[in-house]
Amino acid sequence: MAVVEVKGLKKHFGNVKAVNGVDLSIQKGELLVILGPSGCGKTTLMRMIAGLERPTAGDILIGDQVVTHLPPRARKIAMVFQSYALYPHMSIFDNIAFPLKARREPKDAIRQKVEWASSILGIQHLLDRKPRQLSGGERQRVALARALVKEPDVMLLDEPLSNLDAKLRASARDELQRFQRQLGITTIFVTHDQIEAMGLGDRIAVMYAGQVRQIGTPQEIYHEPADTFVATFLGSPPMNLFERNDCLVGFRPENFLPPGVLQPEDKVTAFPFHVGRVEYLGSDRLIYGTIEGAAEQNKTISKLPSTITVDIEPDKVYEFVVQAKDLKFFDKNTGKRIEPQPLD
Ligand code: ATP
């Protein structure tokens, strides 16, 4: 059952088409990640779902009810945004209890819910403190607890981990996923970080310039990109792309391999790879070069795990290979994915 549905949603600010025709259907209990570069319309889309922004066109349904023109409080949602403002003069308990007090819930029920949410997030021991006595990660969890006590049907999280350092971010991601699964709350999570998106999402919607370019599982988005934007936005380094026979050919750096690595029976295409530079990164080796015979200026990268130890030297040409299944083809003009083409 779809809990949240977005149909033909648009938001234009004068000439700026911040969101320009988005359709989404989010299933019960699903964690959908909205991934895209800065300015692609992620926050505007979330603000419309939350009821903080009036759409220019289109509809939003939550639990089969059209809520497009309802105020935020009439939608059973909770939000945690990047700047998860806690009230500095209130204790952590009061911060978490705030939405329940605003709803005038009975005192006992409030205490019970605050204790429940803080135990899920492991912050029971902090309830008497003030926000300034907490670390960034702890404050983050308080903001999530404040969202949880509302027992929302849908949780909207807009870059909620972006204020944390890299290590804390990884553990917060882990925690978030655990409690989201445990409680089965339908969640929409916005980020511009592909690692966060791949690690968290049941599905990912990749946005660019106000539109969803592709929606699918992390595996689908990574291995079967719908267009060149998705192909190059995900992956580090991104997919190699070059022009051949009037179309664009793409393959991932980790699928571009030196001779002798694949089994002889694997169906492969070989490319003469002129090696420019080799970079050792510990677990991986990155090899930068160009494919001879392809259009000029085609920079190509091979990413080899340290388990592949074959010697590769700069200024030499090697026959690197790609398995047929790993070659992706795109229309040269539209960038859209097309059927595999002959390469000779
Ligand atoms: P970021 O990751 O940087 O937060 P985003 O993907 O969330 O970016 P939005 O904040 O939704 O992007 O903005 C999308 C576009 O709409 C941007 O070009 C932005 O400048 C524009 N925009 C957003 N809000 C307004 C507004 N109130 N008035 C005019 N333009 C706006």
Side-chain angles (χ1 to χ4, degrees), residues 43 136 223 254 257 275 303 307:
T43 297
H223 295 294
E254 64 271 25
L257 299 167
V275 173
K303 181 178 179 179
T307 45

Side-chain angles (χ1 to χ4, degrees), residues 11-14 16-19 36-47 53 82 158-159 190-192 207 210:
K11 178 71 191 183
H12 297 177
F13 299 103
V16 178
K17 295 176 175 165
V19 172
S38 182
C40 72
K42 306 180 294 292
T43 297
T44 307
L45 174 61
M46 288 287 256
R47 286 176 55 82
E53 200 80 69
Q82 192 172 343
D158 189 350
E159 308 247 8
V190 160
T191 183
H192 63 271
M207 261 187 102

Side-chain angles (χ1 to χ4, degrees), residues 86-101 105-119 123-131 133-134 138 142-143 145-147 149:
L86 302 178
Y87 300 104
H89 57 285
M90 285 188 198
S91 69
I92 298 307
F93 182 97
D94 288 337
N95 263 286
I96 300 174
F98 189 80
L100 305 176
K101 284 187 179 160
E105 293 206 9
K107 257 190 165 162
D108 281 355
I110 293 181
R111 173 155 291 280
Q112 227 173 24
K113 285 183 193 173
V114 172
E115 279 169 5
W116 164 77
S118 44
S119 74
I123 49 172
Q124 309 95 308
H125 58 296
L126 304 174
L127 294 178
D128 294 330
R129 293 203 203 164
K130 294 274 169 59
Q133 297 168 309
L134 265 49
E138 289 164 343
V142 174
R146 186 174 58 183
V149 289

